[in-house]
Amino acid sequence: MEMKKVAIVGAGMSGLIACKYTLSKGFHPIVFEAQSSIGGVWSKTIETTKLQTPKGLYQFSDFPWPSSVTDDFPIHHQVFDYIQAYALHFGLLDHIKFNQKVVGIEYEGASEAEMQSWSLWGGTSEPFSPTRKWKVNVQDTRTLSTVIYEVDFVILCLGRFSGVPNIPEFPPNKGPEAFHGEVIHSMEYAAMEYESAAKFVKGKRVTVVGLQKSALDIAMECAAANGVKNPCTVLYRTEHWTVPDYLPWGVSLAYLYLSRFSELLVHKPGEGFLLSLLATMLSPVRWGFSKFVESDIKRRLPLAKFGMVPKQSFLEQINSCLVSTIPEKFYDKVEEGSIRLKKAPSFSFCSNGVLIDGNEDSPLETDLVILATGFRGDKKLKDIFVSQTFQDCIYGTSKAAVPLYRECIHPRIPQLAVIGFSESVSNLYTSEIRCRWLAELLDAKFKLPSIKEMEKDAEKWDEYWKRYSGGYYRRSCIAAIHIWYNDQLCTDMGWNPARKKGLFAELFEPYGPLDYASSS
């Protein structure tokens, strides 16, 4: 029997895991990577960037961190080396085509009218079809020549935090074109060699826009290069909870948010009456956990002194996957004046700097603006489809999150999966169990429900995000209920969802990657 070909778009963390597990099932994976290296965002990043998640949560279930890595939050080159060692250990590099960018995918063998009439995914609920294929248009990034591959299944591991920068919109004549200085995105800064990056910001008045991890790391590097003589200004719209570590008041954050008991405190998609009642009754405990963490952060960081106490709860942020670690001694730099924090609900440009809230009387004079404003992962996902119908399907609407069943399968797009778009506290951990679930699906170990049932399930998750994400809605995030989510995948695969030994451990001990090392 001819081996089924599976195209995997991207050789980042999710793409490598997808390659490993499709190989394990006897399929023929072809991984297309636009860059010359594996690792995705870890292949090239800001010099001082560290892992935001403790390494115990950010590891492969069957490939532990080497004993030489002792820090709970390894530096970026250690993370990259770990990912590369994984790829070498499982022989994945032979299946990767580097410098090959997928510029479009097109489904052939069924008309749109026929697909609209289907009640089951792909018409039969099967992952493969003898007559229908995907055509993958691939461009060589060096020669610009293109080749079309015909494959039986496509796995999109595009990465949510790379490729397409999110650039704010500005009023006419008040965008970067009005500025006489230089404007770049954090993606461009991260792509520079470390010495080049330091020279690039040296002696300049730098303004960094954003308050997430990249913005803070860049601000620290600018402060190191320029000190108080040319302080770096951080423009931010909303204050965020940033954690010094994962040990509020000495208690591991995992016990508060990554255990079954912690998940009893929130309303979950598809829960029954008793669980819903329990979540309502335990809401004071949920509030207490959030205040417990917030009090520790306020104790350890001078948030009140600098007007940086967030209005939203810590629970809302973890439900939106927006919790990040703050660089060591960040507020020391704020204290000494080499970093300045300035709230800017809106900003635009003028010839000599930045206008905050349109105030032209007192512009913020600057030489360089670095936009650490994130990425458009949804646009990257949408634009890879040739079909307008599929583009509309995958994007959904502005009033709903990307409608993926089990955060992997779009009910209306056959023979295709998406891995790594929906976030968690540890994206490696989540991507691995999704890839294992997908491999079992491809191996016909279970079948998907009807299209309508999958769409109803996706709607329940959408309602959950609307309930708990607040102003950060449309970030598909399973952080606060990842065990509930994993239980569903385990049940689909025929695994026992309970992975601990004993009732107490099952209820109160945190869950991590090693709990899913085997199927039993």
Side-chain angles (χ1 to χ4, degrees), residues 396-440:
T397 72
S398 60
K399 296 181 180 180
V402 173
L404 298 175
Y405 177 71
R406 300 291 193 251
E407 299 309 300
C408 299
I409 299 291
H410 193 291
R412 302 278 176 182
I413 304 180
Q415 294 167 241
L416 179 136
V418 179
I419 301 291
F421 185 81
S422 174
E423 302 170 69
S424 73
V425 169
S426 172
N427 290 328
L428 186 156
Y429 169 23
T430 306
S431 286
E432 183 174 26
I433 194 165
R434 286 173 180 161
C435 287
R436 296 175 78 174
W437 178 88
L438 179 60
E440 295 294 306

Side-chain angles (χ1 to χ4, degrees), residues 186-400:
S186 58
M187 177 178 70
E188 298 168 77
Y189 180 88
M192 296 179 185
E193 296 298 327
Y194 301 142
E195 289 186 9
S196 300
K199 289 178 181 177
F200 180 65
V201 300
K202 184 72 174 176
K204 293 178 181 175
R205 296 169 296 177
V206 182
T207 297
V208 178
V209 180
L211 200 62
Q212 289 299 306
K213 193 69 171 70
S214 293
L216 302 185
D217 285 343
I218 294 171
M220 287 291 284
E221 294 193 1
C222 292
N226 295 320
V228 296
K229 183 178 179 181
N230 286 307
C232 175
T233 301
V234 176
L235 284 190
Y236 66 94
R237 187 169 55 186
T238 306
E239 299 83 3
H240 293 292
W241 294 107
T242 49
V243 296
D245 53 37
Y246 277 58
L247 296 168
W249 296 101
V251 178
S252 172
L253 198 64
Y255 283 96
L256 304 179
Y257 288 103
L258 301 179
S259 70
R260 287 197 182 276
F261 176 75
S262 70
E263 295 194 2
L264 291 176
L265 311 182
V266 297
H267 292 279
K268 297 166 286 294
E271 68 185 0
F273 173 75
L274 289 179
L275 286 178
S276 177
L277 180 62
L278 192 59
T280 299
M281 293 173 62
L282 292 175
S283 60
V285 181
R286 179 173 73 224
W287 177 88
F289 277 10
S290 190
K291 293 304 175 186
F292 178 80
V293 177
E294 292 167 23
S295 66
D296 180 71
I297 298 172
K298 287 189 284 188
R299 174 180 67 94
R300 298 169 67 182
L301 301 176
L303 302 184
K305 180 176 181 179
F306 296 104
M308 296 298 289
V309 178
K311 294 181 175 62
Q312 71 278 9
S313 69
F314 184 81
L315 175 69
E316 187 171 294
Q317 276 202 210
I318 199 169
N319 269 286
S320 308
C321 290
L322 285 173
V323 174
S324 61
T325 53
I326 193 163
E328 189 177 355
K329 298 184 178 180
F330 178 83
Y331 277 99
D332 290 350
K333 297 294 183 183
V334 178
E335 288 270 11
E336 74 178 20
S338 57
I339 293 178
R340 293 175 178 171
L341 300 169
K342 192 166 185 61
K343 189 164 186 174
S346 67
F347 76 98
S348 58
F349 290 90
C350 61
S351 60
N352 61 336
V354 174
L355 302 174
I356 297 174
D357 292 344
N359 186 356
E360 299 191 16
D361 294 331
S362 54
L364 174 64
E365 294 186 0
T366 188
D367 303 307
L368 169 65
V369 176
I370 302 177
L371 300 173
T373 47
F375 295 86
R376 289 291 310 277
D378 53 351
K379 178 173 172 54
K380 185 164 56 169
L381 188 62
K382 175 182 177 180
D383 289 350
I384 201 166
F385 292 96
V386 173
S387 163
Q388 182 65 51
T389 300
F390 284 167
Q391 287 186 9
D392 294 341
C393 280
I394 201 71
Y395 186 78
T397 72
S398 60
K399 296 181 180 180

Side-chain angles (χ1 to χ4, degrees), residues 44-95:
K44 190 61 183 174
T45 188
I46 300 161
E47 183 177 11
T48 53
T49 294
K50 288 187 173 185
L51 187 65
Q52 294 189 70
T53 307
K55 70 173 191 249
L57 285 174
Y58 196 95
Q59 66 176 327
F60 303 101
S61 66
D62 54 358
F63 192 75
W65 282 87
S67 58
S68 58
V69 179
T70 57
D71 195 339
D72 265 353
F73 299 91
I75 193 72
H76 64 88
H77 69 81
Q78 294 175 310
V79 180
F80 178 76
D81 289 347
Y82 175 57
I83 294 171
Q84 191 168 46
Y86 174 84
L88 288 169
H89 180 78
F90 290 107
L92 307 181
L93 297 181
D94 293 340
H95 302 275

